[in-house]
Amino acid sequence: MKNKAFGEMNKKIGREIGMILGADFFKGKIVQIDFKKKVIRFLEKSPVDYNSLKLKVASAIQQPLLFKMDQLYRTFYAVELTMPVVEGITFNGVKIRAFFDTGSAFPVLISPAATKEHALAPVPEKGSSKVGQIKSMNLSGYEIPEVPVMLFGREAGFDESLKEYGAIIGLGIMQNFTVTFDWDEKMVLLN
C-alpha cells in the first residue's frame, strides 16, 4: 500500500495507522472483535458449537447469527484465501451475497449491479455514488429497519459482479455486535 493511502486514511480517522492486516494473515485463525469493549481477541477454539447453532433459528439478537464464508480468492502469489463473503443476508427481501469488511466505516455499500438487478434504488450516474436508504436488512432472522446505504454507480469503485458479492457490510452494522471471523472453520458469527 502506498504511503499516500495511509496518509489519507490517517487523516480521515484522526489516528495514525501503521499497518493493515489482510486475509492472508488470518488464514487458519479465529479472530473476535468485541466492538463494545474495543477489544480484538485471537481465540484457540470457536466460541460456540456451530453444528448445534445451525439447528436453531435465530430469534432477535438473543441467538447468535451464523454465516458460512464461501468466497475463495487467489492472490498474486497463487495462494488461495477464504474471504468473509456470505449468503443469507437480505436487503428489502432480496438475498444478496455480502462481504464483511472491517475497513469500511459505512453501514452498507451496494454495488451498481445489485442496485439495478434488484431495483433497490435508482443507480447513481457513472463514476459517482450517493447515500440512500433501504427499507430493511435481514441478517439470518434479525431485522434491521431503515438502513443507510452507499449506492455506487458504474466505475465508482465497486464494480463487483453479483457472483462475487453485491453488498459490503461495514463497521456501521458490525459495531452493534461481537463479530467472530473463524478462518479455520470458515464461519462468521455475530453475537
Side-chain angles (χ1 to χ4, degrees):
M1 196 175 213
K2 296 180 181 178
N3 287 338
K4 182 180 176 189
F6 272 107
E8 289 174 9
M9 182 174 47
N10 293 341
K11 184 178 177 184
K12 193 175 203 176
I13 64 173
R15 291 187 185 172
E16 187 170 333
I17 302 296
M19 177 175 50
I20 296 174
L21 300 175
D24 54 341
F25 175 81
F26 297 109
K27 187 175 183 176
K29 293 182 174 72
I30 303 171
V31 180
Q32 186 177 73
I33 305 170
D34 188 332
F35 288 96
K36 290 178 185 159
K37 293 182 181 177
K38 298 179 182 178
V39 173
I40 298 175
R41 299 177 189 97
F42 289 87
L43 306 175
E44 293 293 322
K45 63 178 189 160
S46 170
V48 298
D49 175 17
Y50 296 131
N51 291 327
S52 66
L53 192 58
K54 287 179 193 176
L55 300 175
K56 299 176 184 175
V57 175
S59 61
I61 196 62
Q62 298 168 5
Q63 176 71 33
L65 308 173
L66 184 63
F67 302 94
K68 180 80 175 158
M69 291 185 199
D70 71 350
Q71 179 75 15
L72 282 179
Y73 173 77
R74 187 175 302 276
T75 69
F76 176 75
Y77 300 106
V79 175
E80 276 194 354
L81 300 173
T82 302
M83 301 297 289
V85 175
V86 304
E87 304 261 352
I89 297 178
T90 64
F91 302 88
N92 291 350
V94 178
K95 282 187 180 182
I96 298 175
R97 288 172 51 83
F99 172 52
F100 281 86
D101 184 2
T102 59
S104 177
F106 210 79
V108 177
L109 293 84
I110 306 284
S111 74
T115 301
K116 182 178 180 180
E117 175 79 21
H118 302 299
L120 297 174
V123 177
E125 292 183 26
K126 182 178 178 180
S128 69
S129 60
K130 69 178 181 181
V131 175
Q133 190 172 41
I134 56 172
K135 293 178 186 173
S136 69
M137 176 179 167
N138 189 300
L139 296 159
S140 190
Y142 180 66
E143 189 82 19
I144 304 173
E146 307 301 324
V147 177
V149 297
M150 180 68 70
L151 301 163
F152 285 81
R154 289 184 314 114
E155 298 179 20
F158 186 8
D159 288 314
E160 296 294 329
S161 71
L162 287 179
K163 179 183 173 213
E164 298 298 321
Y165 53 90
I168 295 174
I169 309 299
L171 294 175
I173 296 294
M174 285 188 275
Q175 70 181 350
N176 299 298
F177 301 92
T178 296
V179 181
T180 304
F181 294 103
D182 185 338
W183 268 275
D184 189 35
E185 296 289 329
K186 298 177 177 46
M187 303 298 268
V188 176
L189 179 71
L190 305 178
N191 278 349

